[in-house]
Amino acid sequence: MNLLRYCKTTSTFKAPIFVPSLLFILGVTGLGIFAPQTTETLLNSIKSNIFTNFSWFYVIAVSIFIIFLLLLCASSLGDIKLGTENEEPEYPFMSWMAMLFAAGMGISLMYFGVAEPISHYVAPLAENATQTEKVENALLLSFFHWGIHAWAIYAVIGLTLAYFSFRYKLPLTIRSGFYPILKHRVSGFWGHVIDIVALCSTVFGVTTTLGYGAMQLDAGLHAIGWMSDRSITTLSIIIVIVMTLAAISAITGVAKGVRRLSEINLGMAIFLMIFVLVAGPTIYLFSNFSENIGNYLSNFIELSFRTFANQPDKQDWFNGWTVLYWAWWVSWAPFVGLFIAKISKGRSIREFILGVLFVPSLFNALWMTIFGDSAIWIDQQTQGSLSALSSNTEALLFAFFDHLPGSTIASLLAMLIIALFFITSADSGIYVINNIASQGKENSPAWQSAFWAILLAALAIALLRSGGLAALQTMTLIIALPFTLIMLFLCFGLWRGLMVDSQYFSKKFAHGSSVWTGKQWRERLSKIMT
């Protein structure tokens, strides 16, 4: 009783958000643990129906996000600051880039940088494609899934939350974006529902990432010979170590913990990328980068709106790749978007959009070219050695390094990068989950961060042991549908807020309300009196 009373008096948790979310999370996780096959079958059926009937909705929604952001960037609204008029950015540009990249894409690029281009190359979308077309389309589809569309999803959430938090002084939480629509009701029932959906989506997304991230680290240990057998015990130890470090970093705070880890990690990732560029077919990669960019830009509009409506034989591919990716990015949007908002105070809307949309997308394109084209080139030189492993995603990166000089050192560096990305993603996730559950309250006690770290680790380990991790991933993708609708409303709310902002600052004031400097006071007094 004393412990409960202590938690109640020192906690910043909001019961209408925290309690329903926790019950729902534990309920779904319980089904995944005790009835993994039945739960996965049921959830897969629901997901399949959603993807079949609402795939067009995902495509249209993500395209709307891009158009909306580009219009804001090109208009005079792009001059508006995410904060007061004279506020300076809280973090230097490179630190800002490092943090948003580490939270949004880091560990995923390590996981799929080789795997996705190889997958598209082995199973090309176009039938009877030539060898050249296979290579070009493999990188085109990888760019499409990891480029501007993904970052537009994150940017919509991040921009909306940053604007209403730093400009309107509202709590840094999802419901704040609905203030122009719901007004005072944003603090009531519907505000709680919005935050509950965001909280559950974030917990499910982070938990599945923990599971799959641990599997890749385990594959790396096995590849370099440090572990002879891959076991659940090893995965559990990896998760516990990572979450312990993430909790320490989260308690330390964003400015110290996440920022420093992100800067170090981005530096190591760039070093690894340069190593692959130099050790691989360098000139070929430079030439391909230019060609890949041109191919991506020339096909951008067609790709953005393509649904294969008249090609039923392509629907399975479309749902299994593009729609799955859009749903996955949306499910991560509350987590990544809120974190990006937190670190973007003081930047203009135009700077935010250009920075979030294009800088990480360009880096992703360079990464996919260097790793993806190198992997395909090696596969061609070795009679399909990497293609044979296309279904073993966790081990493919380390098999790729085996064909480069210094493979052991490269694998060790890759594992260190994955571990640090793992920690920064988990760290950011703990911060965001705690923020949503507290309705944006600052200065939460350290035990709350520890609580979420323990809960996330326990859920990931339990689901890995029971085989229920796939069910939780499917649940994450199901939640993405209602959250996509929420994001469309956020765009509308942001637009209304910006219109009020623009009207206020564009009004012409009377002479008497000019900023007082003490000069020409007689003329000013005369104007006031007359």
Side-chain angles (χ1 to χ4, degrees):
M1 289 299 293
N2 289 333
L3 179 60
L4 289 174
R5 192 178 298 112
Y6 172 77
C7 292
K8 185 176 180 180
T9 55
T10 60
S11 172
T12 59
F13 287 148
K14 295 294 182 181
I17 304 169
F18 173 71
V19 175
S21 299
L22 187 62
L23 292 176
F24 183 73
I25 291 163
L26 293 177
V28 172
T29 305
L31 290 173
I33 292 170
F34 298 109
Q37 297 301 322
T38 303
T39 304
E40 186 178 0
T41 302
L42 174 63
L43 293 179
N44 275 333
S45 176
I46 297 171
K47 183 188 76 173
S48 178
N49 285 326
I50 287 174
F51 282 9
T52 300
N53 296 311
F54 292 97
S55 58
W56 62 270
F57 175 69
Y58 281 108
V59 170
I60 292 293
V62 176
S63 298
I64 288 173
F65 297 154
I66 294 175
I67 294 169
F68 174 69
L69 291 168
L70 292 178
L71 288 175
L72 287 184
C73 184
S75 72
S76 59
L77 298 175
D79 297 326
I80 295 174
K81 280 285 191 76
L82 300 176
T84 59
E85 288 299 302
N86 299 318
E87 195 148 22
E88 294 298 320
E90 188 173 1
Y91 297 101
F93 182 79
M94 288 308 299
S95 297
W96 182 53
M97 281 287 111
M99 285 190 285
L100 70 88
F101 175 77
M105 289 288 176
I107 194 170
S108 301
L109 278 182
M110 296 295 296
Y111 198 81
F112 289 105
V114 170
E116 180 159 351
I118 285 289
S119 296
H120 293 313
Y121 173 72
V122 171
L125 177 61
E127 297 176 2
N128 303 319
T130 64
Q131 188 72 7
T132 301
E133 289 171 341
K134 286 181 181 179
V135 177
E136 291 177 349
N137 289 333
L139 270 297
L140 172 63
L141 294 172
S142 300
F143 276 34
F144 174 48
H145 292 147
W146 292 83
I148 292 172
H149 292 76
W151 285 100
I153 293 170
Y154 293 160
V156 164
I157 295 287
L159 179 59
T160 304
L161 298 190
Y163 175 74
F164 284 107
S165 176
F166 303 134
R167 192 79 170 174
Y168 277 62
K169 307 303 180 184
L170 294 172
L172 187 61
T173 188
I174 306 296
R175 71 172 73 199
S176 295
F178 282 78
Y179 178 76
I181 303 172
L182 298 177
K183 298 294 191 295
H184 65 278
R185 288 172 294 172
V186 78
S187 299
F189 172 77
W190 289 111
H192 297 330
V193 170
I194 292 164
D195 281 346
I196 288 169
V197 172
L199 181 60
C200 292
S201 177
T202 303
V203 169
F204 292 154
V206 173
T207 302
T208 50
T209 299
L210 282 176
Y212 291 120
M215 289 165 65
Q216 191 177 27
L217 282 175
D218 186 48
L221 291 171
H222 181 74
I224 62 177
W226 287 11
M227 299 292 297
S228 55
D229 297 316
R230 301 175 65 181
S231 65
I232 294 295
T233 302
T234 307
L235 294 174
S236 301
I237 293 171
I238 290 171
I239 290 173
V240 169
I241 292 172
V242 167
M243 291 310 294
T244 301
L245 295 173
I248 294 170
S249 180
I251 292 168
T252 304
V254 173
K256 294 181 180 178
V258 181
R259 176 184 173 183
R260 297 307 177 199
L261 284 176
S262 299
E263 290 172 348
I264 292 169
N265 219 13
L266 182 60
M268 290 195 298
I270 291 173
F271 179 80
L272 181 64
M273 185 171 65
I274 293 172
F275 164 76
V276 174
L277 175 65
V278 174
T282 309
I283 302 302
Y284 172 77
L285 294 177
F286 277 128
S287 300
N288 262 21
F289 180 64
S290 176
E291 196 162 306
N292 291 339
I293 290 289
N295 199 21
Y296 174 56
L297 293 178
S298 62
N299 288 279
F300 186 83
I301 295 177
E302 180 191 351
L303 290 170
S304 299
F305 294 94
R306 186 173 63 179
T307 60
F308 297 98
N310 298 308
Q311 295 175 277
D313 57 315
K314 299 289 194 299
Q315 288 296 319
D316 286 342
W317 182 94
F318 175 59
N319 289 329
W321 281 100
T322 302
V323 179
L324 185 72
Y325 263 122
W326 286 187
W328 188 249
W329 299 142
V330 168
S331 72
W332 264 64
F335 154 42
V336 181
L338 197 151
F339 184 77
I340 292 174
K342 169 68 178 176
I343 62 176
S344 299
K345 187 177 183 180
R347 301 193 180 275
S348 70
I349 288 177
R350 183 174 295 107
E351 183 183 7
F352 179 95
I353 293 173
L354 292 175
V356 175
L357 275 191
F358 297 111
V359 177
S361 296
L362 185 63
F363 185 88
N364 287 0
L366 184 60
W367 185 279
M368 282 290 181
T369 296
I370 291 174
F371 280 82
D373 272 322
S374 292
I376 293 173
W377 183 83
I378 289 171
D379 189 70
Q380 292 172 340
Q381 304 300 315
T382 57
Q383 290 74 50
S385 62
L386 294 180
S387 295
L389 297 171
S390 60
S391 59
N392 190 2
T393 309
E394 301 94 36
L396 198 51
L397 176 67
F398 301 102
F400 165 72
F401 286 138
D402 286 341
H403 296 280
L404 298 176
S407 59
T408 302
I409 296 174
S411 295
L412 287 171
L413 180 59
M415 286 180 58
L416 181 59
I417 293 169
I418 292 168
L420 286 178
F421 273 138
F422 203 172
I423 294 168
T424 51
S425 295
D427 181 350
S428 307
I430 291 169
Y431 169 80
V432 169
I433 292 167
N434 198 36
N435 186 281
I436 298 173
S438 303
Q439 201 174 328
K441 290 287 185 183
E442 299 287 343
N443 302 318
S444 297
W447 71 264
Q448 288 184 197
S449 296
F451 167 80
W452 290 116
I454 293 169
L455 178 66
L456 290 169
L459 295 182
I461 292 169
L463 288 162
L464 277 171
R465 288 182 177 275
S466 65
L469 197 62
L472 194 61
Q473 183 188 34
T474 306
M475 186 67 215
T476 306
L477 299 175
I478 291 170
I479 286 182
L481 180 65
F483 200 78
T484 304
L485 185 61
I486 287 174
M487 289 179 65
L488 289 172
F489 279 108
L490 285 177
C491 289
F492 179 68
L494 176 59
W495 180 259
R496 290 188 64 175
L498 289 170
M499 286 297 98
V500 173
D501 203 321
S502 178
Q503 289 170 11
Y504 176 80
F505 283 99
S506 63
K507 282 185 177 180
K508 294 182 179 180
F509 295 95
H511 294 292
S513 62
S514 299
V515 177
W516 177 257
T517 63
K519 296 181 179 180
Q520 299 177 325
W521 64 270
R522 288 187 177 86
E523 289 82 357
R524 291 177 178 273
L525 180 59
S526 175
K527 289 175 181 177
I528 293 172
M529 297 300 293
T530 58

